[in-house]
């Protein structure tokens, strides 16, 4: 009878060790996830900040290029208008402007 109780006791001990190991593993994993959360959020925030800074810089460069291009279009329009007036004064009828040029001359857009 002592042998049976020894086996029962050993079995309970093995089950207890396995259960304790399981809960220790689960607790350790949960603690690591909780601790990694703020660090991961900080990394994601840093990536977001870098992305916003890069996009702001790209937008600044694009606005500068767009402004320069608009100034170039105004200068070209002014030059072509001057040439058309010179042609009219010389008695030469210039070709009609492209519809987009005509629209720009009317609206400025």
């Amino acid at each position: 009878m002592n042998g049976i109780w020894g086996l029962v006791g050993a079995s309970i001990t093995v089950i207890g060790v396995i259960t304790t190991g399981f809960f220790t593993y689960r607790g350790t994993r949960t603690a690591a996830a909780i601790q990694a959360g703020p660090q991961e959020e900080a990394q994601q925030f840093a990536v977001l900040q870098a992305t916003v800074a890069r996009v702001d810089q790209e937008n600044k460069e694009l606005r500068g290029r767009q402004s320069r291009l608009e100034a170039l279009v105004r200068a070209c329009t002014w030059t072509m208008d001057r040439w058309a007036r010179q042609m009219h004064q010389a008695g030469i009828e210039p070709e009609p402007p492209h519809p987009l040029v005509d629209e720009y001359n009317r609206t400025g857009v």
Side-chain angles (χ1 to χ4, degrees):
M1 191 116 171
N2 282 339
I4 293 177
W5 288 110
L7 288 176
V8 170
S11 298
I12 291 173
T13 302
V14 169
I15 291 172
V17 168
I18 292 172
T19 303
T20 302
F22 170 75
F23 284 117
T24 302
Y25 167 74
R26 202 171 100 182
T28 304
R29 240 182 58 193
T30 303
I34 290 170
Q35 190 177 20
Q39 292 174 351
E40 185 177 327
E41 287 180 15
Q43 289 174 344
Q44 289 175 352
F45 186 67
V47 169
L48 178 63
Q49 282 181 318
T51 302
V52 168
R54 180 182 52 82
V55 168
D56 282 347
Q57 181 63 29
E58 288 174 0
N59 284 343
K60 181 180 177 183
E61 292 170 5
L62 288 173
R63 282 192 298 270
R65 291 177 66 191
Q66 181 179 357
S67 177
R68 178 72 179 139
L69 185 59
E70 288 172 352
L72 179 63
V73 168
R74 282 192 300 273
C76 287
T77 301
W78 179 81
T79 300
M80 288 184 284
D81 184 53
R82 187 172 44 112
W83 290 343
R85 274 188 273 118
Q86 288 174 349
M87 290 176 73
H88 281 296
Q89 290 171 351
I92 303 169
E93 187 61 36
E95 292 287 323
H98 188 278
L100 290 176
V101 173
D102 192 39
E103 179 183 346
Y104 179 81
N105 287 335
R106 280 193 329 275
T107 64
V109 180

